Amino acid sequence: MVRHQPLQYYEPQLCLSCLTGIYGCRWKRYQRSHDDTTPWERLWFLILVFTFFLTLTWFYFWWEVDNDYNEFNWFLYNRMGYWSDWSIPILLTTATGFTYITGLLILALCHIVVGQQMHLHWLHKVALTVALIATLVAVSSVAQLWDDEWAVLLISLQGTAPFLHIGALIAVTTLSWIVAGQFARAEKVSSQMVIFTAYFAVVFVLYLIPLSISSPCIMEKKDLSPKPAIIGHRGAPMLAPEHTLMSFQKAREQKLYGVQVDVTISLDGVPFLMHDTTLRRTTNVDEALPDLARRPASMFNWTDLKQLNAGEWFLKTDPFWTVHSLSASDYREAQNQSICKLTDLLELAKGNMTLLLNLWDLPHDHPYRGTFFNVTLDAILRSGLPQHLVMWLPSRQRPLVEKVAPGFQQTSDIKETVAGLRREHIQKLNLRYTQVSSQDIRDCSAWNLSVNLYTVNEPWLFSLLWCSGVQSVTSDNSQTLSKVPSPIWIMAPDEYCLIWITADLVSFTLIVGIFVLQKWRLGSIRTYNPEQIMLSAAVRRTSRDVKIMKEKLIFSEISDGVENTDELSMCSENGFSNDVLTPVEPKTRPGRGGR
């Protein structure tokens, strides 16, 4: 009679346990499997890949539209009736979701690398579904309510495409290790051809993408235009409350080319500066005159308007997240700002500061509805401000304005043909930066038409427009743009071609080398003995790559005459090869002719 005492030792596999545990809550060894992934789990993997690219696109889009966050908040304010900054919470939520989806995708790819069966936990499936639906809702909402903002995506690619191309090359080259492994493991030639063709089709398309990249910053440095002039949008709204005297003083301290202002007229005929239809966002009218808060700003007498506080809202809402940078004196000054009259600004602008004037139409029952142009013109002309410092934007009664003030710079906010603009004696164009292309700017420059684009807040966009040759921009972030010494990047065409071709060659060389290496490593499985083939089929890797299990059996023979073949056969049937399972030779009893 023989008594067997098996003693098994499993090598700790902490990384593998974490991999399968985090992805599918399979923390125990017996829960893991090297079987083929089920079709249902493959479907979830495809959903994961699709969600990754969708959230990547949305994250990139929302990151790039940071130039227009204030415009987005203004858009929501008009619909909800109260001011709140939604841009940063959306950015943080998007970044969190994208990080989570990216982590799941990396775990899934690691499952493929180590040959583990993918099994996504149901909690991850729920979270993945929520992320997919939320991203689809966000994308469709922007497409319906803010559709012109998608143009920012294409504009941003003019500045980032050369670098995104390099990043994509790195990603595709890294994935070649996984693709080459699947190629080498495939038993059928048809499967190998599908994998090979699909992967290299993507690779070669990526190699040729630079042929379609057109960026104004790919140019000779000697052809770079002068730095665009900067016009403060309603003053310097990041440093002081918009349309206040403090805001205009900050703009003058920065030596800006000019400021853009919106002019309306009070009920008693006093021109003042206000962008909104009502006073609710930028004054304390809700507290001071609650019964009249929703009345149009132009339907107040100046005696009531001048008593309102126009600075506390800036400190409370902090629309640009810049209040913390104010000094104590600036904070107190901002706290005591009031609505600014046009005549006060005209007096300040006499120190060689250009004014881009926009006039709002008045309500039908306003007593100055028919004469507000004349009132505004009279205030400008009586101020003594040189006429060449006025950029006149309103298109109504333009012939009259040209006759009364021939020195004004006639400015249009309507995109027309160059010939049409010349017939109307337009000297400047004032358009949103998404409405023009580099070719449009060059065409206008050829006809001596100056182009001003709004609202440009981010250095990357300012640099892109600088390379495009734009003459001036309107900005909320004038204190930053005025310190930009040169475009963020500018590259000669020959230099870019050299980088492009070198990157493609390095990537192709690495990919070919990885395919050869993987074929040599994994293709040699056919030379193993039957036991090694069984082991490799179980773990999908060679014994040189990873040691799945170490076991030792210690046999203690009590009686003689019994062979150990049954136990060894059992081990062979379970797929353990000789280099993993090491039997210990039985001891023979002296004097019994040890077998």
Side-chain angles (χ1 to χ4, degrees):
M1 180 176 181
V2 178
R3 183 176 64 189
H4 306 283
Q5 294 179 340
L7 177 62
Q8 296 182 342
Y9 169 73
Y10 294 93
E11 180 180 352
Q13 296 175 316
L14 181 61
C15 292
L16 187 59
S17 297
C18 291
L19 175 65
T20 57
I22 296 175
Y23 187 81
C25 201
R26 292 183 170 185
W27 299 96
K28 304 296 183 181
R29 180 183 295 269
Y30 67 86
Q31 295 176 314
R32 298 195 290 266
S33 173
H34 296 283
D35 296 336
D36 291 337
T37 301
T38 63
W40 178 246
E41 290 299 327
R42 291 179 182 177
L43 176 61
W44 275 107
F45 175 73
L46 294 178
I47 295 175
L48 176 60
V49 173
F50 174 76
T51 306
F52 169 77
F53 283 106
L54 183 64
T55 54
L56 174 63
T57 303
W58 172 252
F59 182 48
Y60 175 81
F61 166 77
W62 198 254
W63 180 273
E64 292 299 326
V65 299
D66 60 342
N67 183 84
D68 301 329
Y69 281 169
N70 190 65
E71 181 180 332
F72 174 74
N73 292 329
W74 164 252
F75 174 82
L76 294 180
Y77 169 76
N78 285 333
R79 278 165 168 71
M80 299 187 300
Y82 64 91
W83 182 269
S84 182
D85 189 351
W86 291 89
S87 57
I88 301 301
I90 292 177
L91 178 62
L92 294 177
T93 303
T94 301
T96 302
F98 175 70
T99 302
Y100 171 73
I101 297 299
T102 304
L104 283 184
L105 182 60
I106 292 175
L107 291 175
L109 294 176
C110 289
H111 274 70
I112 297 176
V113 171
V114 300
Q116 284 288 325
Q117 183 187 57
M118 287 188 290
H119 178 77
L120 187 63
H121 194 261
W122 68 269
L123 284 177
H124 288 317
K125 292 177 180 177
V126 171
L128 178 61
T129 303
V130 170
L132 177 59
I133 294 175
T135 307
L136 288 173
V137 170
V139 171
S140 60
S141 298
V142 170
Q144 294 178 8
L145 302 177
W146 206 22
D147 58 335
D148 59 336
E149 196 67 13
W150 287 110
V152 179
L153 194 65
L154 300 178
I155 293 174
S156 69
L157 288 175
Q158 295 180 18
T160 60
F163 307 100
L164 293 179
H165 173 246
I166 300 298
L169 283 180
I170 295 173
V172 170
T173 304
T174 303
L175 287 176
S176 66
W177 182 268
I178 299 176
V179 177
Q182 298 301 307
F183 174 81
R185 292 190 184 101
E187 297 293 336
K188 298 181 179 179
V189 176
S190 59
S191 299
Q192 291 182 333
M193 290 301 299
V194 169
I195 295 173
F196 183 87
T197 304
Y199 176 73
F200 275 94
V202 173
V203 168
F204 282 113
V205 168
L206 188 60
Y207 287 167
L208 298 178
I209 276 182
L211 293 175
S212 63
I213 293 177
S214 175
S215 173
C217 292
I218 301 178
M219 62 183 299
E220 298 292 344
K221 292 184 179 180
K222 62 182 178 62
D223 298 330
L224 183 64
S225 302
K227 181 179 179 178
I230 300 174
I231 297 176
H233 189 218
R234 307 170 202 166
M238 289 192 179
L239 304 179
E242 67 180 55
H243 276 150
T244 62
L245 201 57
M246 177 185 177
S247 184
F248 300 128
Q249 288 171 342
K250 290 291 185 183
R252 188 177 66 171
E253 290 173 5
Q254 298 172 28
K255 299 180 179 180
L256 301 184
Y257 173 73
V259 293
Q260 180 272 332
V261 296
D262 303 291
V263 183
T264 189
I265 297 179
S266 68
L267 200 60
D268 51 352
V270 178
F272 67 99
L273 309 178
M274 182 62 57
H275 174 268
D276 297 10
T277 304
T278 68
L279 302 168
R280 298 182 63 228
R281 180 176 68 92
T282 56
T283 70
N284 64 336
V285 68
D286 283 324
E287 293 80 19
L289 302 169
D291 296 336
L292 306 176
R294 296 187 180 276
R295 177 182 291 186
S298 58
M299 299 303 288
F300 285 81
N301 288 316
W302 178 249
T303 54
D304 294 329
L305 291 171
K306 68 181 182 180
Q307 295 177 3
L308 297 176
N309 185 291
E312 290 181 349
W313 72 273
F314 175 76
L315 303 177
K316 291 179 180 178
T317 61
D318 195 6
F320 297 100
W321 301 69
T322 54
V323 170
H324 69 278
S325 64
L326 299 181
S327 64
S329 59
D330 285 345
Y331 190 95
R332 289 190 298 270
E333 185 179 359
Q335 201 169 21
N336 296 313
Q337 290 299 299
S338 58
I339 297 175
C340 182
K341 290 195 300 183
L342 176 61
T343 54
D344 294 337
L345 173 61
L346 293 172
E347 188 66 28
L348 183 67
K350 287 181 180 179
N352 200 31
M353 184 166 66
T354 301
L355 300 182
L356 174 55
L357 296 179
N358 183 36
L359 274 65
W360 293 120
D361 289 337
L362 300 177
H364 292 285
D365 54 347
H366 197 285
Y368 288 90
R369 177 174 172 80
T371 59
F372 73 100
F373 270 85
N374 296 333
V375 173
T376 305
L377 274 173
D378 184 62
I380 297 172
L381 295 175
R382 284 191 292 106
S383 69
L385 181 72
Q387 292 187 13
H388 73 275
L389 295 180
V390 177
M391 296 172 61
W392 186 263
L393 189 58
S395 58
R396 290 177 55 186
Q397 301 184 21
R398 194 181 293 277
L400 173 63
V401 175
E402 288 185 86
K403 182 178 180 180
V404 175
F408 283 5
Q409 301 181 58
Q410 295 299 322
T411 307
S412 175
D413 58 356
I414 301 174
K415 185 179 180 182
E416 300 180 20
T417 62
V418 174
L421 294 172
R422 297 285 293 180
R423 284 195 302 268
E424 297 178 11
H425 305 103
I426 299 298
Q427 299 169 270
K428 292 181 179 292
L429 272 179
N430 183 62
L431 301 172
R432 193 172 190 267
Y433 69 91
T434 56
Q435 294 180 276
V436 296
S437 64
S438 299
Q439 186 60 47
D440 293 331
I441 295 173
R442 288 192 291 269
D443 292 342
C444 289
S445 298
W447 285 86
N448 200 27
L449 282 173
S450 179
V451 178
N452 178 73
L453 301 181
Y454 65 88
T455 306
V456 179
N457 296 329
E458 293 301 315
W460 70 265
L461 181 58
F462 182 70
S463 299
L464 201 64
L465 297 176
W466 186 347
C467 293
S468 299
V470 71
Q471 286 77 26
S472 63
V473 299
T474 301
S475 176
D476 296 318
N477 195 17
S478 56
Q479 72 278 3
T480 298
L481 300 188
S482 60
K483 297 177 182 178
V484 176
S486 61
I488 293 178
W489 70 273
I490 185 170
M491 190 181 304
D494 293 341
E495 183 181 355
Y496 175 65
C497 288
L498 178 61
I499 295 175
W500 162 32
I501 295 174
T502 302
D504 286 356
L505 289 177
V506 171
S507 172
F508 184 75
T509 303
L510 290 175
I511 288 175
V512 171
I514 289 173
F515 264 78
V516 172
L517 177 62
Q518 287 285 66
K519 185 66 175 177
W520 173 77
R521 290 176 62 252
L522 301 178
S524 57
I525 188 174
R526 296 180 178 86
T527 63
Y528 294 163
N529 61 45
E531 288 183 346
Q532 290 174 318
I533 293 177
M534 292 177 64
L535 179 60
S536 300
V539 301
R540 293 173 178 256
R541 297 185 67 175
T542 65
S543 58
R544 296 193 305 269
D545 299 329
V546 64
K547 294 180 180 179
I548 300 300
M549 185 185 301
K550 289 183 179 179
E551 295 187 358
K552 293 182 179 180
L553 297 179
I554 302 176
F555 298 96
S556 175
E557 184 178 325
I558 299 177
S559 59
D560 53 45
V562 179
E563 299 284 341
N564 296 324
T565 56
D566 292 339
E567 287 74 25
L568 293 175
S569 299
M570 182 183 302
C571 294
S572 296
E573 292 173 358
N574 287 331
F576 297 113
S577 61
N578 293 334
D579 59 343
V580 175
L581 178 63
T582 306
V584 179
E585 292 295 332
K587 298 179 180 180
T588 58
R589 287 177 117 182
R592 296 293 301 269
R595 291 176 294 188

